[in-house]
Amino acid sequence: MRPSRAAVLLGLSCLVGAGCASVEELTRDLPGVKPLKYTMAGADREQRASLARGLTELKAGDYAAAVRSLRQALWDVEQIDKPWLRLQELVEVHRALAVAYTGLERDEWSEEQRALAQALVEYGRRENESGAPDTALAKAKAAYQAAHFREAVAAFGQALVELEGLSPTPVRLRALEEARCHLVLTYFALGQEERASEEARQLAAREGATTACRRQAPPPVQALIRDVEVNEARAGKRSGD
Amino acid sequence: MIEQTSPAALNTAEHKPLLFGRYEILSELGRGTSGVVYKAQDPKLDRLVAMKILRPELASLEESGVELKQRFHQEAVAAGRLTHPAIIAVHDVGEAEGRPFMVMEYIEGGTLADLLVGGRPLPLAEAAGIVLQVCGALDYAHRHGVVHRDIKPRNILVGQLGVTKVTDFGTARILGANHTQTGTMLGTPAYMSPEMVRGQAVDPRSDLFSLGVVLYETLTGVNPFNATDLAAVLYRIVNTNPPSLRHHNPVLPPALDGVVRRALAKEPEARYATATDFADALREAAGPQRTGLLSVVRDAVGDAWRTRLLAHPARVVAVGVTCLLALGAGTWAVWGRGPDVPRAQDSAGVKREAGLKARPETPTVAAPPATEPVAVTPKESGCLSVNAVPFAEVYIDDRPAGYTPKACLRVPVGEHRAHFVMNGQRSPERLLRITARHTADTPLRMSYDFNTRRFGDQ
């Protein structure tokens, strides 16, 4: 083989080897790529509507509206059955939330969203070797029950990632609701009421989830959740008007 | 359109509001020794209010001949006569479900204690701005024959733009001492005057001593009489002079030392005679350009905003006009209320939401009135991390101390009995030994599962 041909072949193989991720990056924002992916995954394109709206609001600098849409998107993309597409979209939602929180000067929350996005990316890489996903939730709940609240926050964050391995979708959604409800309770226990409220708002984006959560919450948390529901209803009404 | 989604409109099976009297309870703001304060909605006037409800165990003392309800009401009415922009307004008093309540002005913001969390001093302009406003409130109260007797950072609310309001006027009297009674210690130890420690009669100069302690702490981040145990705190208040402010914060003007020294004089006669005298001296020592509200605002909004504002003089004018309008509206609201509307006072432990991180509450374990009136500060307490499944009410020494879950329930150092109650079921009792080493990072933990009837460590 002549040296020049060998070099070309080597170059091509490098491109192919490194290729998928780069192609993924390059085509991410091209029109038609996302709908095509949804078609390939047999998913409903409507499941991306909140994410798409959130991204538009983010570009327009309307961070509060973007956060509202992205909270909804968290639950919408969770309904995608195909794990590869669901993970991609979830990562995008969390990254967008990180930007929106930064815009709202919530740097700490933004960091959490970035960390979650990164954890989901890493989870996607090791998905095949993932253990029993409900074990993560059980461990987090055990930490919570034993009044180890700081450890519980980290454990529930981990559970939100690991639960991506749980199927079918309704079972996963119920487990995610449970994890997020416990996060509301845990943040409240830690005296981080604003953070608890934000977690309750994320929960409120899923219809009926706060009702179930309220049943297991003490009166102060019930009041906090009700506060969130009232304010979200008002905000929804306002944006509807 | 928005009104249709108000809490009252959501009164369905799914969104049933918690009502107390005509008020809808939204969330708990804090707990003091005499009552629990809630954020509530007044549906009649469609406004947010702070609602203080006498603790049930105190209300029940009525049966044993203690006229707490009547005194709660009397105090609310008396405090309501104080009409001042720097005193929290009382909107209503009443009784529901056998428990007296007081409805007060709701302020977005936090307490001064929240601002001082972690021992961080405030900038001079901000500190002086806050203390000067408290001086105004105290001067007014003193002229109306009311001595606060529990001036401390937790009873000073700091709202948006640095607007300051004093809370909890008169609550001390509810706690079992009448105005002239001696021999009873009231207030929070680290802010008590020497005459309070000695159990002697107090007058307005006692409040000025407490405000001196607040000023010292606000400027340095350190309580001047801080010590590891209660006896040492009380000894220091009566016998020792605190170090210079500049020992902790060398950039402070030397003249401020003189102001604080006089405010903290051991003998009342050696202190400022009035709050106005205190304010004048502070204003002079701090420098005339440092204490205006706008400088407080400027410090509060921070460097980034300052840079942006200064780069656009038109915005400075706009902000100024907005502040003036806000102040004008506030003044109008206060003066326009009419003479028969009661004013003033909130409760201890009020924790606000907007942007301020609350410090763990000083004791959530209530001291009963008259018998144990000395409140406990974090220095004499430890953290108890509690949880129960399902959620339950925690009882410390047979007194309710709030609901689970809670990462840091402040409990006085010492031995205590604790148990949970869930829907009438009572857990076994545990003996706890709380020490000062039980901090928020390393709390003592107690958890109980009502399903398995076991404690977490069993």
Side-chain angles (χ1 to χ4, degrees), chain A residues 144-150 185 189-190 193-194 211 214 216-220 223-224 226-227 229-230 234 237-238 241, chain B residues 1-2 4-7 10 14-16 18 26-27 39 351 353 385-387 389 391 403-407 440-441 445 447:
Chain A
Y144 165 79
Q145 285 181 13
H148 287 268
F149 297 110
R150 289 184 187 176
L185 295 165
L190 286 164
E193 288 180 32
E194 275 194 279
T211 311
R214 264 209 321 250
Q216 52 184 309
L224 178 143
R226 197 167 23 253
D227 235 4
E229 287 170 334
V230 169
R234 280 181 178 158
K237 189 85 185 165
R238 229 176 280 138
D241 291 343
Chain B
M1 299 296 278
I2 293 168
Q4 287 175 359
T5 57
S6 68
L10 292 171
E14 209 170 276
H15 298 280
K16 197 173 176 186
L18 273 176
L26 300 175
S27 58
K39 179 181 172 183
K351 197 166 66 180
E353 294 164 346
S385 184
V386 285
N387 204 2
V389 178
F391 73 82
Y403 286 95
T404 64
K406 194 141 191 145
D441 289 329
R445 293 178 214 277
S447 61

Short mmCIF file of all heavy atoms in Angstrom, two decimals, chain A residues 144-150 185 189-190 193-194 211 214 216-220 223-224 226-227 229-230 234 237-238 241, chain B residues 1-2 4-7 10 14-16 18 26-27 39 351 353 385-387 389 391 403-407 440-441 445 447:
data_model
loop_
_atom_site.label_atom_id
_atom_site.label_comp_id
_atom_site.label_asym_id
_atom_site.label_seq_id
_atom_site.Cartn_x
_atom_site.Cartn_y
_atom_site.Cartn_z
N TYR A 144 -33.45 8.88 53.96
CA TYR A 144 -34.46 9.88 54.36
C TYR A 144 -35.15 9.44 55.66
O TYR A 144 -35.26 10.22 56.61
CB TYR A 144 -35.47 10.05 53.23
CG TYR A 144 -36.72 10.77 53.65
CD1 TYR A 144 -36.74 12.17 53.77
CD2 TYR A 144 -37.89 10.08 53.95
CE1 TYR A 144 -37.88 12.83 54.17
CE2 TYR A 144 -39.03 10.73 54.36
CZ TYR A 144 -39.03 12.11 54.47
OH TYR A 144 -40.15 12.76 54.88
N GLN A 145 -35.58 8.18 55.68
CA GLN A 145 -36.31 7.70 56.85
C GLN A 145 -35.46 7.73 58.12
O GLN A 145 -35.96 7.96 59.20
CB GLN A 145 -36.82 6.28 56.60
CG GLN A 145 -38.01 6.28 55.65
CD GLN A 145 -38.56 4.88 55.40
OE1 GLN A 145 -38.23 3.94 56.09
NE2 GLN A 145 -39.40 4.77 54.39
N ALA A 146 -34.15 7.50 57.93
CA ALA A 146 -33.26 7.48 59.10
C ALA A 146 -32.82 8.89 59.50
O ALA A 146 -31.93 9.06 60.33
CB ALA A 146 -32.04 6.64 58.79
N ALA A 147 -33.44 9.91 58.90
CA ALA A 147 -33.16 11.32 59.21
C ALA A 147 -31.76 11.74 58.79
O ALA A 147 -31.19 12.68 59.33
CB ALA A 147 -33.40 11.61 60.69
N HIS A 148 -31.19 11.05 57.79
CA HIS A 148 -29.91 11.48 57.20
C HIS A 148 -30.25 12.31 55.96
O HIS A 148 -30.16 11.84 54.83
CB HIS A 148 -29.06 10.27 56.81
CG HIS A 148 -28.45 9.56 57.98
ND1 HIS A 148 -27.20 9.86 58.48
CD2 HIS A 148 -28.94 8.58 58.78
CE1 HIS A 148 -26.94 9.09 59.52
NE2 HIS A 148 -27.98 8.30 59.73
N PHE A 149 -30.67 13.54 56.18
CA PHE A 149 -31.30 14.29 55.09
C PHE A 149 -30.30 14.76 54.02
O PHE A 149 -30.63 14.77 52.85
CB PHE A 149 -32.07 15.47 55.67
CG PHE A 149 -33.20 15.03 56.57
CD1 PHE A 149 -33.15 15.23 57.93
CD2 PHE A 149 -34.30 14.36 56.06
CE1 PHE A 149 -34.17 14.80 58.77
CE2 PHE A 149 -35.33 13.92 56.88
CZ PHE A 149 -35.26 14.15 58.24
N ARG A 150 -29.12 15.16 54.45
CA ARG A 150 -28.15 15.63 53.44
C ARG A 150 -27.75 14.48 52.52
O ARG A 150 -27.65 14.64 51.30
CB ARG A 150 -26.92 16.22 54.10
CG ARG A 150 -27.26 17.55 54.75
CD ARG A 150 -26.05 18.21 55.34
NE ARG A 150 -26.47 19.38 56.07
CZ ARG A 150 -25.69 20.16 56.77
NH1 ARG A 150 -24.40 19.89 56.85
NH2 ARG A 150 -26.16 21.20 57.40
N LEU A 185 -39.83 16.85 50.51
CA LEU A 185 -39.82 16.65 51.97
C LEU A 185 -38.42 16.83 52.55
O LEU A 185 -38.24 17.42 53.61
CB LEU A 185 -40.33 15.23 52.29
CG LEU A 185 -41.79 14.94 51.92
CD1 LEU A 185 -42.06 13.44 51.95
CD2 LEU A 185 -42.72 15.64 52.90
N ALA A 189 -37.13 19.53 55.19
CA ALA A 189 -36.50 19.14 56.47
C ALA A 189 -35.21 19.91 56.70
O ALA A 189 -34.88 20.27 57.82
CB ALA A 189 -36.22 17.65 56.47
N LEU A 190 -34.49 20.18 55.62
CA LEU A 190 -33.21 20.87 55.73
C LEU A 190 -33.38 22.38 55.87
O LEU A 190 -32.41 23.12 55.94
CB LEU A 190 -32.35 20.58 54.50
CG LEU A 190 -31.75 19.16 54.46
CD1 LEU A 190 -31.25 18.82 53.06
CD2 LEU A 190 -30.63 19.02 55.48
N GLU A 193 -36.51 25.98 52.08
CA GLU A 193 -37.90 26.02 51.62
C GLU A 193 -38.02 26.45 50.16
O GLU A 193 -38.90 25.98 49.44
CB GLU A 193 -38.72 26.93 52.52
CG GLU A 193 -38.93 26.28 53.87
CD GLU A 193 -39.73 27.14 54.81
OE1 GLU A 193 -40.60 27.88 54.35
OE2 GLU A 193 -39.45 27.08 56.01
N GLU A 194 -37.14 27.34 49.75
CA GLU A 194 -37.20 27.77 48.34
C GLU A 194 -36.89 26.62 47.41
O GLU A 194 -37.53 26.44 46.37
CB GLU A 194 -36.20 28.90 48.10
CG GLU A 194 -36.75 30.25 48.44
CD GLU A 194 -35.88 31.34 47.87
OE1 GLU A 194 -34.86 31.65 48.50
OE2 GLU A 194 -36.20 31.84 46.78
N THR A 211 -50.94 15.84 44.42
CA THR A 211 -52.02 15.33 45.28
C THR A 211 -51.53 14.12 46.06
O THR A 211 -51.73 14.02 47.28
CB THR A 211 -53.23 14.91 44.42
OG1 THR A 211 -53.52 15.98 43.53
CG2 THR A 211 -54.44 14.61 45.26
N ARG A 214 -48.96 15.25 48.67
CA ARG A 214 -49.54 15.94 49.83
C ARG A 214 -50.01 14.96 50.89
O ARG A 214 -49.94 15.23 52.08
CB ARG A 214 -50.70 16.81 49.39
CG ARG A 214 -50.33 18.24 49.14
CD ARG A 214 -51.48 19.18 49.40
NE ARG A 214 -52.74 18.65 48.96
CZ ARG A 214 -53.44 19.11 47.92
NH1 ARG A 214 -52.95 20.08 47.21
NH2 ARG A 214 -54.60 18.60 47.59
N GLN A 216 -48.73 12.29 51.91
CA GLN A 216 -47.70 11.79 52.82
C GLN A 216 -46.88 12.91 53.45
O GLN A 216 -45.84 12.66 54.03
CB GLN A 216 -46.80 10.80 52.10
CG GLN A 216 -46.22 11.30 50.80
CD GLN A 216 -45.43 10.22 50.11
OE1 GLN A 216 -44.56 9.60 50.69
NE2 GLN A 216 -45.72 9.99 48.84
N ALA A 217 -47.38 14.16 53.30
CA ALA A 217 -46.60 15.30 53.80
C ALA A 217 -47.22 15.85 55.08
O ALA A 217 -48.44 15.87 55.22
CB ALA A 217 -46.54 16.38 52.74
N PRO A 218 -46.38 16.36 55.99
CA PRO A 218 -46.90 16.99 57.20
C PRO A 218 -47.54 18.34 56.83
O PRO A 218 -47.27 18.87 55.75
CB PRO A 218 -45.65 17.19 58.06
CG PRO A 218 -44.53 17.25 57.10
CD PRO A 218 -44.92 16.36 55.95
N PRO A 219 -48.36 18.90 57.74
CA PRO A 219 -49.09 20.12 57.41
C PRO A 219 -48.25 21.26 56.83
O PRO A 219 -48.67 21.88 55.86
CB PRO A 219 -49.74 20.51 58.73
CG PRO A 219 -49.90 19.22 59.44
CD PRO A 219 -48.73 18.37 59.06
N PRO A 220 -47.04 21.54 57.36
CA PRO A 220 -46.30 22.66 56.76
C PRO A 220 -45.93 22.40 55.29
O PRO A 220 -45.95 23.32 54.48
CB PRO A 220 -45.02 22.75 57.62
CG PRO A 220 -45.34 22.03 58.87
CD PRO A 220 -46.34 20.99 58.53
N ALA A 223 -48.98 22.77 53.14
CA ALA A 223 -49.24 24.19 52.87
C ALA A 223 -48.31 24.71 51.78
O ALA A 223 -48.72 25.47 50.89
CB ALA A 223 -49.07 25.00 54.15
N LEU A 224 -47.06 24.28 51.84
CA LEU A 224 -46.08 24.71 50.81
C LEU A 224 -46.52 24.22 49.43
O LEU A 224 -46.51 24.98 48.46
CB LEU A 224 -44.71 24.15 51.18
CG LEU A 224 -43.55 24.43 50.24
CD1 LEU A 224 -42.26 24.66 51.04
CD2 LEU A 224 -43.30 23.30 49.26
N ARG A 226 -49.53 23.42 48.51
CA ARG A 226 -50.75 24.12 48.10
C ARG A 226 -50.41 25.52 47.59
O ARG A 226 -50.95 25.99 46.59
CB ARG A 226 -51.72 24.20 49.28
CG ARG A 226 -53.14 24.52 48.84
CD ARG A 226 -54.17 24.31 49.92
NE ARG A 226 -53.61 24.36 51.25
CZ ARG A 226 -53.43 23.31 52.03
NH1 ARG A 226 -53.76 22.11 51.60
NH2 ARG A 226 -52.92 23.44 53.23
N ASP A 227 -49.46 26.17 48.27
CA ASP A 227 -48.97 27.48 47.83
C ASP A 227 -48.48 27.40 46.39
O ASP A 227 -48.79 28.25 45.56
CB ASP A 227 -47.78 27.86 48.72
CG ASP A 227 -47.97 29.20 49.38
OD1 ASP A 227 -49.05 29.78 49.20
OD2 ASP A 227 -47.03 29.65 50.06
N GLU A 229 -49.20 25.12 44.17
CA GLU A 229 -50.31 24.82 43.23
C GLU A 229 -51.08 26.09 42.88
O GLU A 229 -51.39 26.34 41.72
CB GLU A 229 -51.26 23.80 43.86
CG GLU A 229 -50.68 22.40 43.92
CD GLU A 229 -51.53 21.46 44.75
OE1 GLU A 229 -52.26 21.93 45.65
OE2 GLU A 229 -51.45 20.25 44.51
N VAL A 230 -51.35 26.89 43.93
CA VAL A 230 -52.11 28.13 43.69
C VAL A 230 -51.33 29.06 42.78
O VAL A 230 -51.85 29.59 41.80
CB VAL A 230 -52.42 28.81 45.04
CG1 VAL A 230 -52.97 30.21 44.82
CG2 VAL A 230 -53.41 27.98 45.84
N ARG A 234 -52.16 30.30 39.02
CA ARG A 234 -52.23 31.72 38.66
C ARG A 234 -51.31 32.01 37.48
O ARG A 234 -51.69 32.71 36.55
CB ARG A 234 -51.81 32.59 39.84
CG ARG A 234 -52.92 32.75 40.84
CD ARG A 234 -52.47 33.64 41.99
NE ARG A 234 -53.55 33.83 42.93
CZ ARG A 234 -53.40 34.17 44.19
NH1 ARG A 234 -52.20 34.35 44.68
NH2 ARG A 234 -54.43 34.33 44.97
N LYS A 237 -52.74 30.65 34.38
CA LYS A 237 -53.88 31.46 33.97
C LYS A 237 -53.38 32.73 33.27
O LYS A 237 -53.87 33.12 32.22
CB LYS A 237 -54.68 31.82 35.21
CG LYS A 237 -56.00 32.47 34.93
CD LYS A 237 -57.05 31.41 34.67
CE LYS A 237 -58.34 32.09 34.27
NZ LYS A 237 -59.26 31.14 33.67
N ARG A 238 -52.35 33.33 33.92
CA ARG A 238 -51.81 34.58 33.37
C ARG A 238 -51.25 34.35 31.97
O ARG A 238 -51.53 35.09 31.06
CB ARG A 238 -50.71 35.10 34.30
CG ARG A 238 -50.90 36.56 34.65
CD ARG A 238 -49.85 36.97 35.64
NE ARG A 238 -50.18 36.58 36.98
CZ ARG A 238 -49.33 36.06 37.86
NH1 ARG A 238 -48.08 35.86 37.53
NH2 ARG A 238 -49.71 35.76 39.07
N ASP A 241 -53.97 33.83 29.55
CA ASP A 241 -54.63 35.07 29.15
C ASP A 241 -53.80 35.81 28.11
O ASP A 241 -54.29 36.52 27.29
CB ASP A 241 -54.86 35.98 30.36
CG ASP A 241 -55.90 35.38 31.30
OD1 ASP A 241 -56.63 34.48 30.84
OD2 ASP A 241 -55.95 35.78 32.47
N MET B 1 -59.43 37.82 36.00
CA MET B 1 -59.14 36.45 35.59
C MET B 1 -58.30 35.72 36.64
O MET B 1 -58.57 34.61 37.02
CB MET B 1 -58.39 36.46 34.25
CG MET B 1 -59.16 37.08 33.10
SD MET B 1 -60.65 36.17 32.71
CE MET B 1 -59.96 34.87 31.70
N ILE B 2 -57.28 36.46 37.14
CA ILE B 2 -56.39 35.81 38.11
C ILE B 2 -57.15 35.49 39.39
O ILE B 2 -56.93 34.46 40.00
CB ILE B 2 -55.20 36.74 38.40
CG1 ILE B 2 -54.36 36.85 37.15
CG2 ILE B 2 -54.35 36.21 39.53
CD1 ILE B 2 -53.33 37.93 37.20
N GLN B 4 -59.91 34.31 39.81
CA GLN B 4 -60.64 33.05 39.76
C GLN B 4 -59.80 31.88 40.27
O GLN B 4 -60.33 30.84 40.62
CB GLN B 4 -61.07 32.76 38.32
CG GLN B 4 -62.20 33.69 37.89
CD GLN B 4 -62.54 33.50 36.44
OE1 GLN B 4 -61.92 32.70 35.76
NE2 GLN B 4 -63.53 34.22 35.99
N THR B 5 -58.50 32.06 40.26
CA THR B 5 -57.64 30.98 40.74
C THR B 5 -57.09 31.28 42.13
O THR B 5 -56.12 30.70 42.55
CB THR B 5 -56.47 30.75 39.78
OG1 THR B 5 -55.77 31.97 39.66
CG2 THR B 5 -56.93 30.25 38.46
N SER B 6 -57.71 32.23 42.83
CA SER B 6 -57.26 32.50 44.20
C SER B 6 -57.55 31.28 45.07
O SER B 6 -58.34 30.43 44.70
CB SER B 6 -58.01 33.73 44.74
OG SER B 6 -59.36 33.39 44.90
N PRO B 7 -56.88 31.19 46.25
CA PRO B 7 -57.07 30.00 47.09
C PRO B 7 -58.52 29.67 47.34
O PRO B 7 -58.92 28.52 47.34
CB PRO B 7 -56.35 30.39 48.38
CG PRO B 7 -55.33 31.37 47.97
CD PRO B 7 -55.92 32.11 46.81
N LEU B 10 -60.14 27.64 44.81
CA LEU B 10 -59.66 26.26 44.68
C LEU B 10 -60.21 25.36 45.77
O LEU B 10 -59.67 24.34 46.10
CB LEU B 10 -58.13 26.24 44.71
CG LEU B 10 -57.47 26.89 43.51
CD1 LEU B 10 -55.99 27.02 43.75
CD2 LEU B 10 -57.72 26.10 42.25
N GLU B 14 -59.97 18.43 46.14
CA GLU B 14 -58.54 18.24 45.93
C GLU B 14 -57.74 19.40 46.53
O GLU B 14 -56.63 19.24 46.97
CB GLU B 14 -58.27 18.17 44.44
CG GLU B 14 -57.08 17.32 44.10
CD GLU B 14 -57.01 17.10 42.61
OE1 GLU B 14 -57.67 16.18 42.12
OE2 GLU B 14 -56.32 17.87 41.96
N HIS B 15 -58.30 20.60 46.53
CA HIS B 15 -57.57 21.78 46.97
C HIS B 15 -58.27 22.42 48.17
O HIS B 15 -58.57 23.60 48.17
CB HIS B 15 -57.49 22.81 45.84
CG HIS B 15 -56.76 22.30 44.65
ND1 HIS B 15 -55.40 22.26 44.58
CD2 HIS B 15 -57.22 21.80 43.50
CE1 HIS B 15 -55.04 21.75 43.42
NE2 HIS B 15 -56.13 21.47 42.74
N LYS B 16 -58.59 21.60 49.15
CA LYS B 16 -59.32 22.16 50.28
C LYS B 16 -58.39 23.01 51.13
O LYS B 16 -57.38 22.53 51.64
CB LYS B 16 -59.88 21.02 51.11
CG LYS B 16 -60.95 21.46 52.06
CD LYS B 16 -61.58 20.26 52.73
CE LYS B 16 -62.60 20.74 53.74
NZ LYS B 16 -63.13 19.63 54.51
N LEU B 18 -56.77 25.11 54.25
CA LEU B 18 -56.77 25.02 55.71
C LEU B 18 -57.25 26.37 56.22
O LEU B 18 -56.57 27.38 56.03
CB LEU B 18 -55.34 24.79 56.20
CG LEU B 18 -54.80 23.38 56.29
CD1 LEU B 18 -53.35 23.44 56.72
CD2 LEU B 18 -55.60 22.57 57.29
N LEU B 26 -51.49 29.34 54.62
CA LEU B 26 -50.73 28.94 53.43
C LEU B 26 -49.46 28.17 53.79
O LEU B 26 -49.15 27.15 53.19
CB LEU B 26 -50.37 30.18 52.60
CG LEU B 26 -51.56 31.00 52.08
CD1 LEU B 26 -51.08 32.26 51.38
CD2 LEU B 26 -52.41 30.17 51.13
N SER B 27 -48.71 28.70 54.75
CA SER B 27 -47.50 27.99 55.15
C SER B 27 -47.05 28.50 56.52
O SER B 27 -47.47 29.57 56.95
CB SER B 27 -46.37 28.20 54.14
OG SER B 27 -46.09 29.57 54.00
N LYS B 39 -48.04 32.15 57.34
CA LYS B 39 -48.40 33.03 56.23
C LYS B 39 -49.82 32.65 55.87
O LYS B 39 -50.14 31.46 55.73
CB LYS B 39 -47.45 32.77 55.06
CG LYS B 39 -47.72 33.58 53.83
CD LYS B 39 -46.70 33.18 52.76
CE LYS B 39 -47.00 33.79 51.42
NZ LYS B 39 -46.03 33.30 50.41
N LYS B 351 -40.00 33.88 59.87
CA LYS B 351 -39.01 33.55 58.86
C LYS B 351 -39.61 33.91 57.52
O LYS B 351 -40.73 33.52 57.24
CB LYS B 351 -38.71 32.06 58.94
CG LYS B 351 -37.45 31.67 58.25
CD LYS B 351 -37.04 30.29 58.65
CE LYS B 351 -37.98 29.22 58.20
NZ LYS B 351 -37.57 27.89 58.59
N GLU B 353 -39.47 34.58 53.14
CA GLU B 353 -39.07 33.74 52.03
C GLU B 353 -38.17 34.37 51.00
O GLU B 353 -37.31 33.73 50.45
CB GLU B 353 -40.33 33.24 51.32
CG GLU B 353 -41.14 32.34 52.23
CD GLU B 353 -42.53 32.14 51.72
OE1 GLU B 353 -42.96 32.90 50.83
OE2 GLU B 353 -43.19 31.23 52.21
N SER B 385 -32.03 15.75 64.66
CA SER B 385 -32.58 15.46 63.33
C SER B 385 -33.64 14.38 63.51
O SER B 385 -33.35 13.30 64.03
CB SER B 385 -31.45 14.97 62.41
OG SER B 385 -31.93 14.77 61.11
N VAL B 386 -34.89 14.68 63.11
CA VAL B 386 -35.98 13.75 63.40
C VAL B 386 -36.74 13.38 62.13
O VAL B 386 -36.91 14.18 61.22
CB VAL B 386 -36.99 14.35 64.40
CG1 VAL B 386 -36.43 14.34 65.79
CG2 VAL B 386 -37.43 15.73 63.98
N ASN B 387 -37.21 12.14 62.11
CA ASN B 387 -38.12 11.73 61.06
C ASN B 387 -38.98 10.57 61.55
O ASN B 387 -38.58 9.83 62.46
CB ASN B 387 -37.38 11.32 59.78
CG ASN B 387 -38.27 11.48 58.57
OD1 ASN B 387 -39.41 11.93 58.67
ND2 ASN B 387 -37.77 11.12 57.41
N VAL B 389 -42.14 7.72 59.90
CA VAL B 389 -42.92 7.25 58.76
C VAL B 389 -44.17 6.56 59.29
O VAL B 389 -44.06 5.62 60.08
CB VAL B 389 -42.10 6.25 57.92
CG1 VAL B 389 -42.94 5.73 56.77
CG2 VAL B 389 -40.87 6.93 57.37
N PHE B 391 -45.43 10.69 58.55
CA PHE B 391 -45.01 11.88 59.29
C PHE B 391 -45.74 11.95 60.64
O PHE B 391 -46.85 11.41 60.79
CB PHE B 391 -45.27 13.15 58.48
CG PHE B 391 -46.71 13.54 58.39
CD1 PHE B 391 -47.33 14.25 59.40
CD2 PHE B 391 -47.45 13.22 57.27
CE1 PHE B 391 -48.66 14.62 59.32
CE2 PHE B 391 -48.79 13.58 57.17
CZ PHE B 391 -49.38 14.28 58.20
N TYR B 403 -43.45 19.21 63.38
CA TYR B 403 -43.64 17.97 62.63
C TYR B 403 -42.33 17.46 62.06
O TYR B 403 -41.40 18.22 61.81
CB TYR B 403 -44.61 18.21 61.48
CG TYR B 403 -46.05 18.36 61.91
CD1 TYR B 403 -46.60 19.62 62.14
CD2 TYR B 403 -46.85 17.24 62.09
CE1 TYR B 403 -47.91 19.76 62.53
CE2 TYR B 403 -48.16 17.38 62.50
CZ TYR B 403 -48.69 18.64 62.71
OH TYR B 403 -49.98 18.77 63.11
N THR B 404 -42.31 16.15 61.82
CA THR B 404 -41.23 15.56 61.04
C THR B 404 -41.55 15.81 59.57
O THR B 404 -42.71 16.05 59.23
CB THR B 404 -41.16 14.04 61.25
OG1 THR B 404 -42.36 13.44 60.75
CG2 THR B 404 -40.98 13.71 62.70
N PRO B 405 -40.59 15.78 58.65
CA PRO B 405 -39.16 15.62 58.92
C PRO B 405 -38.52 16.96 59.25
O PRO B 405 -38.96 17.99 58.79
CB PRO B 405 -38.65 15.11 57.56
CG PRO B 405 -39.54 15.76 56.54
CD PRO B 405 -40.89 15.87 57.20
N LYS B 406 -37.47 16.91 60.04
CA LYS B 406 -36.73 18.13 60.38
C LYS B 406 -35.27 17.77 60.60
O LYS B 406 -34.95 16.91 61.41
CB LYS B 406 -37.33 18.77 61.62
CG LYS B 406 -36.86 20.17 61.83
CD LYS B 406 -38.00 21.04 62.33
CE LYS B 406 -37.59 22.50 62.29
NZ LYS B 406 -38.63 23.39 61.95
N ALA B 407 -34.39 18.48 59.89
CA ALA B 407 -32.96 18.15 59.95
C ALA B 407 -32.31 18.73 61.20
O ALA B 407 -31.32 18.17 61.68
CB ALA B 407 -32.25 18.67 58.71
N ALA B 440 -25.68 21.34 63.20
CA ALA B 440 -26.43 21.00 61.99
C ALA B 440 -25.68 19.95 61.16
O ALA B 440 -26.28 19.15 60.46
CB ALA B 440 -26.67 22.25 61.16
N ASP B 441 -24.35 19.97 61.26
CA ASP B 441 -23.55 18.99 60.50
C ASP B 441 -23.53 17.63 61.19
O ASP B 441 -23.42 16.60 60.52
CB ASP B 441 -22.11 19.49 60.34
CG ASP B 441 -22.04 20.65 59.38
OD1 ASP B 441 -22.88 20.69 58.46
OD2 ASP B 441 -21.18 21.52 59.56
N ARG B 445 -29.66 11.97 65.96
CA ARG B 445 -30.77 11.56 65.09
C ARG B 445 -31.76 10.68 65.84
O ARG B 445 -31.37 9.88 66.68
CB ARG B 445 -30.24 10.79 63.88
CG ARG B 445 -29.43 11.64 62.95
CD ARG B 445 -28.89 10.84 61.79
NE ARG B 445 -27.59 11.33 61.38
CZ ARG B 445 -27.40 12.35 60.56
NH1 ARG B 445 -28.44 12.98 60.06
NH2 ARG B 445 -26.19 12.74 60.25
N SER B 447 -35.33 8.51 64.60
CA SER B 447 -36.36 8.23 63.59
C SER B 447 -37.18 7.03 64.05
O SER B 447 -36.71 6.18 64.80
CB SER B 447 -35.71 7.95 62.24
OG SER B 447 -34.87 6.82 62.31
#
